[in-house]
Amino acid sequence: MKYRLPVLILLVSGTVLGSCASRANRVAGDPLEPMNRVLFDFNTAMDKTILIPVAKTYQTITPKPARNGIRNFLGNLGSPVILANDLLQGEWKRAGDTIGRFAINTTVGVGGLFDVAKRNGLERHNEDFGQTMAVAGIGAGPYLVLPLLGPSSLRDTFGRFPDHYFAPLTYTQFNGKKTYLTTSRVVDLVDKRARVLKLVKKLRQTAFDEYNSVRDLYWQTRKDDIANGHTQIESLPEFDISSTE
Amino acid sequence: MKIKSIFAASVLTMTALLSSPVLASEQAVSFVQDKVAQMLSILSDSSLNEAQKEDKFQQQLLQTADVNVIARFVLGKYAAKANAQELEKFSYAFQLYALSVYQSELSNFGSEVFEVKNSEERRPGDSVVLTTISGGSMDGKSEEIKWRVLEIKGTPRVVDVEISGVWLSQHQRAEITGIITKNGGDVSAASKVLCARSSQCHYNG
């Protein structure tokens, strides 16, 4: 599986190094930049005051093998969402991989705690309804920063709803409440944040404008996700080499 | 006889046309293989002190990537609007910035294993080479790295690298044009910001 942590982290990141963009300075694909920057700032504040301390504590008190087990378990629970989107995209081979991974990891992998399938050549991949819509030819729409959830686009925001209904935990209840779903989402967020503590720290230190940097990382990695990691070489930008001749 | 010659010439021409992209792509592959191996060998050379290592590594990096072409690319639409002096100052600041960033980022590498998986040609003289890196500091993982190689003045040169789905030159273009846009289209603003990130850079703007 390709390492998607740089983007996952950015779910909760954001520091506004510059002032809100003026109308003339707005970037194509981000017509809502002034509002997005405010939300980005809010997410950063939440990250620094709540999520980072929680993630650091989680990392300290939970041994690495246990954290790996939690990640594997939550990843395995997400398999039906991936499978549904594999099928909707007509990705039969990948759908087969997802079924194989789920079957192996749920049984031999003790309920998904161990990623036995990966050791047998079945790598995990990600799919979601936003990607499915992209494959169907639906454009991304404007860039959005969602409160607490981070970078997205109009298309990918809508994509969250079907994925919610593809997730088995949506249909479980504990004392009449969706405790399992909520707990799994919170643990998943903390685990993902813990895995990218150093990376985000570095991003915040090196980015010239973190909002700008995160937005580009989001667009680029989404494009790569939609293409399942295969570079569409015809869409690569041109480099001007005339100045060297 | 004449028809035979024309036929032979046509076959040869077709063969040359069909085979040249393959050769160009193979050239890009061997270029990436050689340059990465040389850089890794510098980084893992224990006979060199840190200053020597830095110096040799930077020389190698400049032979691998075309920093002037990348500098022009990261300026985006502002490249066409900048005058020669602004472009020169930006290229200077960008080169020092890029060298310091890559030096710092790559200094943890050395004992990793690079492997070329395949290559794809966009058009003659423009290829993408797919490699994997594993071992060493990779903590048991394997990561794909893609190299965009252009033929510039008859020599292969790297102009972009993709890691985890992110093309670095494209990312730097988003960052640099963001700075320039924020400063009303002033390219020298980006030069100053880049220069401030490198201890070797002395900007008089």
Side-chain angles (χ1 to χ4, degrees):
Chain A
M1 187 184 89
K2 294 194 78 180
Y3 211 57
R4 296 283 176 241
L5 295 184
V7 173
L8 294 170
I9 270 323
L10 305 169
L11 286 172
V12 285
S13 66
T15 295
V16 180
L17 299 180
S19 57
C20 287
S22 69
R23 188 173 292 272
N25 289 347
R26 283 180 202 169
V27 173
D30 191 5
L32 304 171
E33 185 172 343
M35 181 191 79
N36 283 337
R37 280 189 181 267
V38 172
L39 290 167
F40 192 73
D41 207 12
F42 168 76
N43 286 350
T44 302
M46 296 297 285
D47 183 46
K48 287 181 176 172
T49 53
I50 299 171
L51 200 47
I52 290 177
V54 172
K56 281 183 176 171
T57 308
Y58 166 78
Q59 198 174 46
T60 307
I61 63 173
T62 318
K64 195 174 178 184
R67 293 201 303 272
N68 288 342
I70 289 168
R71 187 189 318 162
N72 291 337
F73 178 76
L74 293 171
N76 199 47
L77 278 181
S79 296
V81 177
I82 297 169
L83 176 63
N85 287 293
D86 281 334
L87 294 171
L88 286 168
Q89 290 175 37
E91 294 275 6
W92 315 120
K93 162 78 173 61
R94 282 161 71 91
D97 288 351
T98 306
I99 292 169
R101 281 184 52 79
F102 187 70
I104 293 169
N105 287 343
T106 305
T107 52
V108 188
V110 197
L113 286 173
F114 300 97
D115 194 350
V116 185
K118 186 180 175 183
R119 280 176 237 156
N120 287 282
L122 285 176
E123 289 272 345
R124 180 183 157 82
H125 63 266
N126 282 319
E127 287 294 354
D128 55 59
F129 201 73
Q131 292 183 54
T132 299
M133 286 193 281
V135 170
I138 298 171
Y143 178 69
L144 295 176
V145 177
L146 304 177
L148 302 174
L149 297 171
S152 189
S153 66
L154 189 61
R155 178 191 61 209
D156 295 339
T157 301
F158 276 115
R160 288 173 171 273
F161 295 101
D163 286 340
H164 175 75
Y165 292 103
F166 291 148
L169 285 182
T170 301
Y171 306 98
T172 60
Q173 291 197 337
F174 182 74
N175 285 343
K177 293 179 181 172
K178 294 192 179 296
T179 311
Y180 296 122
L181 181 68
T182 309
T183 306
S184 76
R185 296 247 160 109
V186 171
V187 173
D188 190 38
L189 179 66
V190 173
D191 178 65
K192 280 172 180 161
R193 187 64 185 90
R195 281 149 62 194
V196 290
L197 281 166
K198 282 184 187 167
L199 196 69
V200 174
K201 190 177 175 188
K202 191 156 204 168
L203 178 89
R204 287 184 172 152
Q205 286 168 345
T206 55
F208 296 117
D209 176 347
E210 198 182 327
Y211 172 86
N212 202 5
S213 187
V214 169
R215 180 179 56 201
D216 178 67
L217 289 173
Y218 176 75
W219 284 131
Q220 282 210 50
T221 47
R222 269 315 265 178
K223 193 176 169 187
D224 189 62
D225 282 339
I226 292 160
N228 295 337
H230 303 302
T231 302
Q232 294 165 314
I233 57 168
E234 66 283 357
S235 69
L236 290 173
E238 296 295 336
F239 280 76
D240 178 13
I241 59 169
S242 60
S243 57
T244 64
E245 288 166 352
Chain B
M1 187 66 189
K2 198 177 176 187
I3 292 171
K4 229 176 172 181
S5 302
I6 292 169
F7 178 73
S10 305
V11 169
L12 283 172
T13 308
M14 286 302 289
T15 308
L17 285 172
L18 289 171
S19 61
S20 59
V22 177
L23 285 174
S25 187
E26 282 173 359
Q27 197 184 16
V29 167
S30 61
F31 178 77
V32 169
Q33 250 169 345
D34 292 349
K35 293 298 177 188
V36 171
Q38 285 164 16
M39 282 193 275
L40 287 177
S41 104
I42 293 169
L43 291 169
S44 60
D45 188 347
S46 53
S47 69
L48 300 171
N49 64 34
E50 281 308 306
Q52 289 170 322
K53 205 179 267 191
E54 191 175 319
D55 190 45
K56 282 192 88 169
F57 184 80
Q58 291 193 353
Q59 284 174 23
Q60 192 62 54
L61 207 57
L62 289 173
Q63 288 169 20
T64 306
D66 192 315
V67 183
N68 283 329
V69 168
I70 300 170
R72 220 179 151 78
F73 174 77
V74 300
L75 281 173
K77 64 180 180 182
Y78 298 108
K81 295 174 186 169
N83 61 41
Q85 197 186 14
E86 284 174 326
L87 282 174
E88 193 183 331
K89 283 185 174 175
F90 179 79
S91 287
Y92 163 74
F94 181 76
Q95 177 168 318
L96 290 176
Y97 165 76
L99 287 174
S100 68
V101 167
Y102 287 106
Q103 171 76 28
S104 147
E105 289 301 313
L106 296 171
S107 58
N108 295 326
F109 289 92
S111 57
E112 290 72 18
V113 177
F114 262 87
E115 197 183 341
V116 174
K117 304 302 278 187
N118 64 43
S119 68
E120 207 174 348
E121 191 150 63
R122 199 166 167 264
R123 60 160 189 258
D126 185 351
S127 304
V128 174
V129 180
L130 172 64
T131 63
T132 55
I133 178 173
S134 57
S137 61
M138 295 302 291
D139 196 23
K141 296 188 188 87
S142 172
E143 184 83 55
E144 281 187 355
I145 302 179
K146 291 171 188 164
W147 310 75
R148 177 102 180 262
V149 182
L150 296 188
E151 191 181 313
I152 299 170
K153 288 185 188 168
T155 313
R157 283 283 184 273
V158 172
V159 292
D160 208 350
V161 180
E162 190 222 58
I163 303 167
S164 294
V166 177
W167 287 96
L168 301 183
S169 294
Q170 291 185 46
H171 183 63
Q172 284 181 337
R173 182 171 63 174
E175 292 236 69
I176 300 294
T177 54
I179 297 169
I180 300 171
T181 303
K182 199 180 285 179
N183 286 278
D186 182 9
V187 170
S188 66
S191 307
K192 283 176 200 158
V193 170
L194 290 176
C195 203
R197 296 281 179 103
S198 166
S199 58
Q200 293 173 42
C201 186
H202 305 288
Y203 185 82
N204 49 12

